[in-house]
Amino acid sequence: MLTVAGSDSGGGAGIQADLKAMLALGVHGMSVLTAVTAQNSLGVHGAWELPAEAVRAQFRAVVDDIGVQAVKTGMLSSAATAATVADLLAGLDPAVPVVVDPVAVSKHGDALLRAEAVEVVRTRLLPLATVATPNLDEVTWLTGIVVTDEEGMRAAARAVLGHGPRWVLVKGGHLPDTEQAVDLLSDGRAEHWYRAPRHGNRHTHGTGCTLASALASYLALGDDVPTAVGRAKEYVRGALAAGFPLGAGIGPVDHGWRARAH
């Protein structure tokens, strides 16, 4: 399975989280690095985008030799990188599942997607997605809709689907004043709601990356989309519950929680 994303030097999110999740779920992880960040538990202290030719070379090296059973995209940073990735994904076999995590802002509020790149993600990347996985802030970036309740999540799903993905998973973890974390998966015809109690653990760095990678991993293993989402949610719930304090800020989820539980 291939992740196309940025590096988190602190190891909690990005490429590092993706590869850890893939390993935990029994999938061989491969990577295309789009950017390097200087990042720790306190925030993003710098980011450097890789040139388009480096992104293309990594992608071609992996796909042309090894092949892929699923692809997950994360931090794309700029319009140029997003367009490069869209061109590469458009050349894949349409049967290869693509999970697009439209990463815009880090856990600490640091911007990871330039404003001019949003239109490229909206018009060129989302139409290639088997599943798009925006959180509520990313929904607003993509559609202008501000979600405050579950009915708003339905409106958000319709709006995102209007840009072309086959499915959208609207992540409702940022909904205010709810005792449960609520996510909505929709393809415009069927709705699947996923509910789980909130964890009091504040060490949640890498949650979105981990969920998208777990989802793509289960798709690579042959699950249909609703089943893959349910299994990915179960894995992330355990990783959240086991999240640990690392550094002075927000620690990461525990990608290896299942191994440590035995």
Side-chain angles (χ1 to χ4, degrees):
M1 204 201 97
L2 181 64
T3 170
V4 182
S7 167
D8 172 2
S9 57
I15 288 279
Q16 288 82 351
D18 297 339
L19 294 175
K20 290 173 188 177
M22 293 175 204
L23 179 63
L25 298 178
V27 174
H28 174 69
M30 304 173 291
S31 60
V32 171
L33 204 63
T34 60
V36 174
T37 70
Q39 191 170 169
N40 57 24
S41 69
L42 297 172
V44 179
H45 302 279
W48 298 266
E49 182 183 347
L50 269 67
E53 57 264 33
V55 174
R56 279 194 294 268
Q58 293 174 84
F59 187 94
R60 293 263 63 93
V62 170
V63 173
D64 295 347
D65 174 41
I66 302 170
V68 291
Q69 277 69 54
V71 181
K72 174 258 179 185
T73 70
M75 176 186 177
L76 300 179
S77 184
S78 72
T81 299
T84 297
V85 172
D87 287 342
L88 292 166
L89 294 179
L92 290 177
D93 185 327
V96 174
V98 175
V99 175
V100 173
D101 184 12
V103 177
V105 179
S106 77
K107 182 70 67 178
H108 305 88
D110 304 290
L112 299 175
L113 185 69
R114 296 176 194 164
E116 66 270 18
V118 175
E119 184 64 15
V120 179
V121 172
R122 185 188 294 124
T123 61
R124 298 193 55 192
L125 205 58
L126 288 182
L128 301 172
T130 307
V131 190
T133 63
N135 64 29
L136 299 188
D137 293 331
E138 291 155 357
V139 161
T140 302
W141 276 61
L142 292 169
T143 70
I145 294 173
V146 177
V147 178
T148 58
D149 55 23
E150 291 186 13
E151 193 54 43
M153 292 176 69
R154 285 192 169 99
R158 289 191 294 270
V160 175
L161 287 168
H163 294 297
R166 280 179 260 171
W167 292 84
V168 60
L169 178 66
V170 179
K171 299 179 295 189
H174 295 168
L175 275 182
D177 303 323
T178 56
E179 294 182 359
Q180 290 186 317
V182 181
D183 295 346
L184 169 61
L185 175 70
S186 175
D187 65 351
R189 298 178 297 277
E191 285 186 355
H192 303 265
W193 291 89
Y194 302 84
R195 304 176 189 274
R198 290 186 182 275
H199 288 289
N201 192 350
R202 73 184 186 92
H203 299 296
T204 59
H205 187 48
T207 305
C209 302
T210 302
L211 177 62
S213 293
L215 169 54
S217 295
Y218 284 124
L219 292 174
L221 291 169
D223 286 350
D224 60 31
V225 172
T227 302
V229 170
R231 295 181 74 188
K233 288 284 295 175
E234 191 275 333
Y235 169 69
V236 171
R237 280 196 294 271
L240 276 167
F244 55 96
L246 191 70
I250 300 173
V253 301
D254 183 359
H255 299 91
W257 68 272
R258 283 179 172 163
R260 276 181 271 281
H262 293 92

